[in-house]
């Protein structure tokens, strides 16, 4: 489907990958999961910190 769409507009699909990478697919998936967990936890802790600051300022 994408090939036909790109061909219709006279464009080309170029796949860029790490040449010579020895990583397994499972290793890449694990790294992605860890990255997602890290991003989620940073959002969570940032939100908690903001809420704590707001709570502390109300007590003043």
């Amino acid at each position: 489907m994408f090939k036909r769409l790109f061909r219709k507009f006279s464009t080309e699909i170029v796949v860029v990958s790490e040449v010579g990478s020895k990583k397994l697919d499972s290793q890449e998936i694990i790294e992605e999961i860890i990255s997602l967990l890290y991003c989620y936890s940073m959002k969570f802790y940032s939100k908690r910190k903001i809420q704590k600051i707001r709570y502390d300022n109300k007590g003043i």
Side-chain angles (χ1 to χ4, degrees), residues 15-47:
V15 178
V16 179
S17 64
E18 296 178 24
V19 177
S21 176
K22 303 271 182 187
K23 284 186 183 178
L24 299 173
D25 289 337
S26 60
Q27 288 174 319
E28 288 185 26
I29 291 171
I30 290 171
E31 288 175 5
E32 288 294 323
I33 291 171
I34 291 170
S35 175
L36 289 170
L37 288 172
Y38 176 79
C39 291
Y40 176 76
S41 65
M42 288 298 104
K43 277 187 172 183
F44 177 75
Y45 288 120
S46 295
K47 187 176 180 181

Side-chain angles (χ1 to χ4, degrees), residues 1-13:
M1 182 172 101
F2 286 110
K3 284 183 182 182
R4 283 187 290 185
L5 177 68
F6 285 103
R7 219 178 294 134
K8 180 179 178 181
F9 293 101
S10 302
T11 57
E12 180 182 359
I13 299 174

